[in-house]
């Protein structure tokens, strides 16, 4: 969570594909409370999901718990970053946002290193 240009708080939560928006919403409110954040303090939400099954869950959470219509970032969103990939829709939203943030903060040319999550690493290693 950002306040102006300052990173105010971060949280990490395990992905549960069967969790509903209300379950994530209650969890989010608890995390906010721990950092003395009120839902009314949130003025915007961006979702860069690499778990398509949860994108709508978090879209609904954003609307119901934060009264915010979220920006859902994917390869089709105009970020100012040109994606030079054979099929741009195969590029994960996390990587699109990484590049857009680096472009906005540092300009270019720039190098972005994304280590991904442990799950991504395990799948890559399993493929050999």
């Amino acid at each position: 969570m950002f306040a102006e240009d300052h990173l105010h708080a971060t949280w990490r939560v395990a992905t549960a594909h069967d969790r509903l928006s209300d379950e994530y919403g209650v969890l989010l409110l608890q995390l906010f409370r721990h950092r003395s954040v009120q839902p009314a303090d949130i003025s915007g939400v961006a979702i860069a999901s690499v778990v398509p099954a949860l994108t709508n869950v978090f879209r609904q959470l954003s609307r119901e718990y934060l009264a915010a219509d979220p920006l859902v970032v994917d390869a089709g969103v105009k970020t100012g970053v040109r994606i030079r990939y054979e099929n741009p829709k195969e590029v994960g939203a996390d990587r699109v946002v990484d590049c857009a943030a680096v472009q906005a903060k540092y300009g270019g040319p720039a190098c972005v290193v994304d280590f991904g999550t442990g799950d991504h690493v395990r799948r890559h290693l399993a493929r050999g």
Side-chain angles (χ1 to χ4, degrees):
M1 183 176 74
F2 284 87
E4 311 264 329
D5 288 339
H6 172 73
L7 180 62
H8 179 72
T10 63
W11 300 278
R12 294 184 55 86
V13 175
T15 302
H17 291 51
D18 59 345
R19 194 173 281 170
L20 303 173
S21 63
D22 288 330
E23 294 172 291
Y24 275 116
V26 169
L27 177 59
L28 182 67
L29 293 179
Q30 290 174 334
L31 294 169
F32 278 9
R33 193 171 307 119
H34 179 72
R35 296 287 178 109
S36 299
V37 174
Q38 299 299 316
D41 297 338
I42 306 301
S43 61
V45 175
I47 299 171
S49 175
V50 294
V51 183
L54 290 178
T55 301
N56 282 332
V57 169
F58 280 93
R59 182 182 278 134
Q60 185 175 354
L61 174 156
S62 178
R63 290 176 180 149
E64 291 182 16
Y65 287 84
L66 304 175
D69 193 29
L71 168 65
V72 179
V73 179
D74 60 20
V77 172
K78 301 287 186 217
T79 61
V81 175
R82 194 166 60 212
I83 300 173
R84 294 181 180 184
Y85 199 74
E86 193 170 305
N87 183 354
K89 295 211 179 278
E90 291 179 358
V91 178
D94 54 342
R95 292 188 173 100
V96 172
V97 171
D98 288 347
C99 291
V102 167
Q103 180 71 30
K105 184 160 180 81
Y106 301 106
C111 178
V112 177
V113 178
D114 182 334
F115 290 102
T117 64
D119 189 47
H120 286 104
V121 173
R122 281 191 296 277
R123 280 186 282 165
H124 178 70
L125 292 174
R127 283 185 260 163

